[in-house]
Amino acid sequence: MNKWGKISLGMLLAVGLLTGCGQNKNENNSAAAGNTDTSAAAKTLTLGTSADFPPYEFHKVVDGKDTIVGFDIDIAKDIAADMGAELVIKDLPFDSLLNELSSGRIDIVISGLSPTEERRKSVDLSDVYYKAEQAVVVREADKDKFATMDALKGAKIGIQTGSIQEDIAKGIEGAQLTSLGKISEIVLQLQSNRVDASIMEGPVAKSFVKNVPGLVITDAKPVVEDDGYVIGIKKGNAELLEQVNKTLTRLNSEGKIEAYVAAASELAESK
Ligand code: ARG
C-alpha cells in the first residue's frame, strides 16, 4: 500500500471510531431548533439517522465538538422548528431505523431513505424531498473494467446492510456480497482489496471519492425503481406525517433543499 493509501486508511479508521463513539455520545445530542419554549414540558422530536452518509448525515468536528451535520439534519431542524419542538438526534445503525420507529423509540427517520413497497408496509413515508442517482465506486485501476452493470457479474461487492443497494447487488448474477453496517467500512474493504466494487447514492459516492485517494466512480449506472428520498414516520401518525409534508412543501417552495444540499456537500468535502 502506498503512503496515501495508508494515510487515508488511518483517516477512515479515525472517522469510524468517531462514528462509533457517536452512537452513545450523540444519544441526547439535541440541536437548537429555533424553539424558544424553555418550559420543562417542552416538546421534543427524536430523529433516528445513520450518520455515515455524507452529505446527507455525517459526523464533523464543529467548534471542536463532534457534531452530526448534513442536509437531512437541516431538514429535521426545520421540521422541529415548525412544530415548536426541540430536535434530539440518535445515531443508529441503518438497518435498525425502521424497527426503532415502529417501537416508538424515535419519532422520525431521515436517513437518505428510499421509498420501497416493502418499507411502506411497516411505516408511513412522506413526500419525496430529493432525488439522486446511484453510482458504482471502485479502485482507480478498475475504472474501465467495471464500466457497465454487466461487468459487475461475479464481482465482490460491498453494500450497506438493509439498504436498497443490497437488493440491487443481489440482482447481479454471481455477485459475492459483503454487507456492512457503515459506508466507511465498505470504503476500507475497497481500499484493502477485499471487495472490488460498491454501489451507493451518487452524492455519497462523490463525497467519498473526493476524500479518499485511489477510489473513483465508474460509468456503470445502477437503475432503481424507488428513486427519491422520503421521511419515515410511525404507521398511523397522520398528524406528524401532515406536519412533515407541510415543512417539505415550504422548504421546496423556498428553494431551501437545494441550498442545504449544496452547503452540506461543501462541508462534507472540506477538511
Ligand atoms: N437510499 C438507500 C436506502 O434507503 C440507502 C440509505 C442509507 N442511509 C444512510 N444514512 N446510511 O436503502
Side-chain angles (χ1 to χ4, degrees):
M1 187 182 297
N2 64 24
K3 179 176 138 220
W4 286 113
K6 270 190 198 136
I7 290 175
S8 55
L9 218 148
M11 260 165 47
L12 273 166
L13 279 171
V15 169
L17 286 173
L18 264 176
T19 321
C21 329
Q23 299 217 341
N24 302 323
K25 249 196 350 217
N26 283 291
E27 283 274 302
N28 290 307
N29 173 10
S30 56
N35 180 20
T36 48
D37 181 5
T38 50
S39 69
K43 247 203 290 186
T44 59
L45 177 72
T46 303
L47 162 73
T49 192
S50 169
D52 63 337
F53 214 57
Y56 298 67
E57 45 266 336
F58 54 105
H59 286 259
K60 185 100 195 167
V61 176
V62 179
D63 297 331
K65 204 172 152 241
D66 174 43
T67 311
I68 297 174
V69 294
F71 66 84
D72 279 349
I73 308 302
D74 294 328
I75 294 170
K77 285 182 184 169
D78 273 296
I79 294 169
D82 286 354
M83 293 171 64
E86 186 197 351
L87 182 66
V88 176
I89 304 173
K90 281 194 181 182
D91 185 6
L92 297 164
F94 182 75
D95 68 337
S96 76
L97 290 172
L98 297 189
N99 269 333
E100 292 293 297
L101 189 60
S102 296
S103 59
R105 282 189 287 269
I106 53 178
D107 299 315
I108 194 169
V109 170
I110 314 185
S111 199
L113 188 69
S114 307
T116 67
E117 279 320 306
E118 195 55 37
R119 289 172 181 167
R120 243 177 241 290
K121 286 181 199 158
S122 62
V123 298
D124 284 340
L125 301 175
S126 75
D127 297 338
V128 167
Y129 62 88
Y130 187 66
K131 286 195 175 199
E133 288 180 340
Q134 304 296 314
V136 173
V137 176
V138 301
R139 287 178 297 276
E140 213 158 13
D142 291 340
K143 186 166 187 208
D144 296 333
K145 185 171 160 195
F146 294 118
T148 63
M149 288 309 285
D150 243 26
L152 288 175
K153 284 183 183 160
K156 290 186 201 146
I157 305 180
I159 25 74
Q160 185 164 41
T161 314
S163 68
I164 61 159
Q165 287 78 16
E166 189 169 35
D167 295 331
I168 300 173
K170 276 182 186 157
I172 300 172
E173 211 184 291
Q176 301 164 56
L177 307 197
T178 302
S179 296
L180 292 162
K182 286 198 177 107
I183 306 280
S184 54
E185 292 165 359
I186 300 170
V187 170
L188 279 175
Q189 297 263 323
L190 266 173
Q191 285 196 303
S192 55
N193 297 315
R194 278 171 287 174
V195 301
D196 296 319
S198 175
I199 303 169
M200 53 184 93
E201 256 75 19
V204 177
K206 269 191 207 142
S207 153
F208 275 102
V209 302
K210 271 250 161 110
N211 282 314
V212 183
L215 297 186
V216 292
I217 296 174
T218 77
D219 291 335
K221 290 266 170 290
V223 182
V224 293
E225 288 160 37
D226 314 293
D227 64 342
Y229 305 101
V230 295
I231 294 173
I233 291 136
K234 187 176 179 173
K235 225 181 182 32
N237 193 346
E239 198 186 322
L240 185 55
L241 180 63
E242 198 190 316
Q243 172 64 62
V244 163
N245 282 333
K246 230 162 119 185
T247 299
L248 291 178
T249 305
R250 174 176 74 75
L251 292 177
N252 261 318
S253 70
E254 294 170 352
K256 286 251 173 82
I257 296 193
E258 283 301 327
Y260 288 161
V261 172
S265 304
E266 210 168 284
L267 189 63
E269 282 159 19
S270 72
K271 291 275 136 43

